Amino acid sequence: MSPDSPVRVDAWLWAVRQFKTRSAATSACRAGHVRVNGERAKAAQPVRPGDEVRVRVDGFDRMLVVRQTFVKRVSASLAATALENRTPPPPPRESVPVVPVRDRGAGRPTKRERRDLERLRGR
């Protein structure tokens, strides 16, 4: 198979090591976490070189551009050449608001703790 022929999007994502298993890539497509050229992609949708693929992994979108297509899983060095990563850098930690987390098993917050939490959230 030539590196320019169309390939299923789930197989390509697995081949370029974006997902650990092909079934995980297929599940992500079914759940709507994969977009090809801005449209929701089914697992069998073909991708070609030049297509933009957005993948939602761990709550963040990865923006990838297809450079080569592979059906079988390839080495990490080949996988790096098969895609162009256009993902913007994550925001700095200072700009991300800190979410207060209660210890597991601490029970319900007291009235005083609840008021402090509401004040912290700006309500």
Side-chain angles (χ1 to χ4, degrees):
M1 188 167 230
S2 74
D4 294 334
S5 60
V7 175
R8 288 173 57 116
V9 68
D10 62 338
W12 183 79
L13 287 169
W14 168 72
V16 296
R17 298 171 173 259
Q18 296 301 308
F19 288 97
K20 203 168 196 172
T21 63
R22 181 158 172 197
S23 62
T26 304
S27 298
C29 291
R30 282 192 190 129
H33 298 298
V34 178
R35 293 183 173 270
V36 175
N37 297 326
E39 307 263 331
R40 279 181 66 170
K42 292 185 177 181
Q45 181 171 342
V47 290
R48 295 171 179 79
D51 286 347
E52 182 187 62
V53 179
R54 287 180 181 241
V55 183
R56 190 152 192 82
V57 179
D58 297 329
F60 295 102
D61 279 347
R62 289 187 185 159
M63 296 169 46
L64 311 169
V65 176
V66 179
R67 293 286 167 225
Q68 290 178 323
T69 56
F70 293 112
V71 178
K72 301 281 184 180
R73 196 154 169 102
V74 294
S75 67
S77 59
L78 275 175
T81 62
L83 60 92
E84 178 184 340
N85 192 348
R86 291 189 182 167
T87 307
R93 289 194 179 258
E94 299 86 38
S95 68
V96 178
V98 178
V99 178
V101 178
R102 290 182 54 82
D103 293 332
R104 187 172 176 91
R108 291 179 59 172
T110 63
K111 191 172 192 177
R112 180 182 198 177
E113 290 171 337
R114 190 178 68 246
R115 286 181 178 158
D116 289 341
L117 286 171
E118 288 175 355
R119 193 175 315 114
L120 183 64
R121 291 179 181 152
R123 294 183 188 160

